[in-house]
Amino acid sequence: MTGQAPYSTPSLLFEERIPVLVGSPAPVTRFTVGGADVVMGPAGMAVVVKAGDDPGRSGVWNAAEVRLLGPAPAAVTERLMGSSRADDGSLLPIHIAVDVEGDTVHLGTGRVGRGGTADGVLTDCELRLDSPLSRDLLDRVRPPLPPDDLPGLEWLRQVNGDRSAALEDFITGWYPPLTTSESDGARRATTRTAPHLPDGLRQLHRLAERRPDVLGVQNRILPETSRRTDLRGEMRVIGDECQGGFSWSLLWTLDEPEADPTVWFGEFDQEPIAEQEPLSGFLIQFSLFEACMGAKYLALPRRLDAPQVEQLTQALHPVPLRPFWPWVPTQFYVAPGLVMRVGSENGVEFDAWAGASHRSALDPLAGLPIDWLRFDG
């Protein structure tokens, strides 16, 4: 049934088909995983999720992906993560369906794309559909929710004026604050700062007291307790890449810090390269990069050429700063609730990544003739 077109049939009728799909006349076992019904037999598995768009419950995530949220029983974990196979060596099929107000829409078959475990227990699993859903069918099984109040773009007018205000307005608009008790822990863990820090870094750490993700989810700005000098003892490292591949530094001095110093990018033992924007612009760029990388809703195209980049960004606003990140010079484009980064090593092929605070913020990109690796709108 791989690639079979989805069909709708009354729930009772689909229930009668499940034993046949998963291995009748042998007995089947049933489980509930994150609000989904999971039925397993010797010839396959059926997963039935509820229609809707609740990130905290198993359901359809986008046109190509269904998410199963654990914890899952051991038998389900073993079946999904163990690549169970039939006697002929083929993978056992996973039939995926959605309960839509009493009717069951069978989406066809899928396969495990990625799974997460903790102490041997399945915590989450991405099921990739063999046949992606049409827009009409996606809207039926994952009804669109009205948008939240999307973060606005008032900060953008301040980028080349009051950059401190721009940084604060963007961060407080994009990240919801922690509760007082949660922020007490974040303050103790990450944000103790020394008096000789430039004002921009002190501001970022202050904002991180209630919004710790502003210090980074892909790369990171280091807390004071983790800062160090570089190998030459000339630079004070203020941030680094998640795997330690590169770092950002300021010139080390015992005097009062510059108001808006140069930020230096460097690999482990290479001569550092100056970022094109000083610290005030760098912190805005760093914050935009981390916001799109850590967003819940993503739009990820395959490699693009220059005309495709122009098409992709024509409905967005460019952020008026010089390119970020010397390795892959990167520009940023924004819309309410949306941040996109576009970078290129050679000026011919481009890599893009868009992150959104709500699915609806991806609407300006919907319908474009772009080959998407992932589109959560």
Side-chain angles (χ1 to χ4, degrees):
M1 292 184 64
T2 299
Q4 175 179 324
Y7 64 87
S8 177
T9 188
S11 295
L12 180 59
L13 192 56
F14 187 78
E15 283 288 323
E16 293 173 349
R17 286 180 50 83
I18 285 178
V20 176
L21 293 173
V22 302
S24 180
V28 300
T29 52
R30 294 175 178 268
F31 306 90
T32 300
V33 181
D37 295 324
V38 177
V39 185
M40 298 196 313
M45 169 188 285
V47 175
V48 183
V49 299
K50 301 289 186 183
D53 188 10
D54 180 354
R57 187 182 69 184
S58 298
V60 176
W61 185 255
N62 59 37
E65 180 184 321
V66 174
R67 291 189 175 178
L68 193 63
L69 301 184
V76 176
T77 298
E78 182 179 354
R79 175 67 68 92
L80 289 172
M81 303 305 292
S83 300
S84 297
R85 296 180 180 272
D87 292 340
D88 63 2
S90 61
L91 288 173
L92 294 177
I94 303 172
H95 299 272
I96 302 172
V98 182
D99 183 355
V100 184
E101 298 180 345
D103 284 348
T104 301
V105 180
H106 185 196
L107 305 183
T109 55
R111 52 189 167 77
V112 175
R114 186 197 66 81
T117 60
D119 298 324
V121 176
L122 185 71
T123 56
D124 60 283
C125 182
E126 296 175 1
L127 300 174
R128 305 292 298 177
L129 293 166
D130 292 321
S131 295
L133 308 180
S134 68
R135 186 76 225 187
D136 288 344
L137 182 55
L138 177 61
D139 287 345
R140 184 181 176 199
V141 298
R142 193 206 65 193
L145 295 176
D148 298 330
D149 291 333
L150 297 176
L153 297 181
E154 293 80 6
W155 61 271
L156 191 59
R157 294 193 294 269
Q158 299 281 2
V159 165
N160 282 322
D162 187 344
R163 289 184 171 179
S164 175
L167 179 67
E168 182 137 0
D169 288 350
F170 171 74
I171 286 175
T172 56
W174 186 272
Y175 295 97
L178 299 178
T179 65
T180 301
S181 60
E182 290 172 327
S183 61
D184 286 344
R187 184 183 299 112
R188 289 191 299 269
T190 63
T191 59
R192 184 174 68 83
T193 62
H196 62 270
L197 287 179
D199 288 343
L201 279 176
R202 292 175 63 81
Q203 178 191 22
L204 190 71
H205 282 290
R206 175 178 57 78
L207 292 167
E209 291 178 3
R210 297 197 65 189
R211 296 169 172 86
D213 283 351
V214 306
L215 295 182
V217 293
Q218 173 72 17
N219 308 311
R220 60 178 181 160
I221 297 295
L222 298 173
E224 180 64 21
T225 52
S226 299
R227 293 217 176 99
R228 62 188 185 276
T229 56
D230 69 349
L231 293 178
R232 299 177 178 85
E234 299 172 349
M235 299 279 189
R236 185 71 163 168
V237 179
I238 63 167
D240 60 18
E241 191 255 349
C242 61
Q243 297 181 358
F246 57 82
S247 63
W248 288 287
S249 305
L250 304 178
L251 281 174
W252 173 248
T253 176
L254 295 176
D255 300 325
E256 285 295 316
E258 292 182 55
D260 199 11
T262 299
V263 178
W264 295 88
F265 170 92
E267 296 179 77
F268 177 70
D269 57 355
Q270 302 297 313
E271 286 293 325
I273 305 169
E275 286 280 355
Q276 295 193 47
E277 289 289 342
L279 182 65
S280 60
F282 166 83
L283 291 176
I284 294 172
Q285 294 172 317
F286 177 88
S287 298
L288 291 168
F289 189 96
E290 295 304 309
C292 72
M293 294 299 293
K296 182 182 298 180
Y297 304 104
L298 302 178
L300 311 180
R302 298 185 188 276
R303 298 284 283 181
L304 305 168
D305 58 24
Q308 288 174 312
V309 169
E310 183 176 358
Q311 188 175 42
L312 188 63
T313 59
Q314 63 184 350
L316 309 180
H317 300 273
V319 178
L321 293 169
R322 289 167 291 187
F324 171 70
W325 197 19
W327 261 3
V328 184
T330 297
Q331 300 280 7
F332 296 93
Y333 300 83
V334 295
L338 172 68
V339 177
M340 177 183 290
R341 64 166 177 84
V342 179
S344 177
E345 297 180 62
N346 55 21
V348 177
E349 290 187 309
F350 296 81
D351 172 66
W353 181 298
S357 62
H358 188 275
R359 289 193 195 281
S360 63
L362 294 172
D363 287 350
L365 309 181
L368 294 176
I370 297 294
D371 186 10
W372 298 104
L373 289 167
R374 170 176 168 178
F375 189 80
D376 290 342

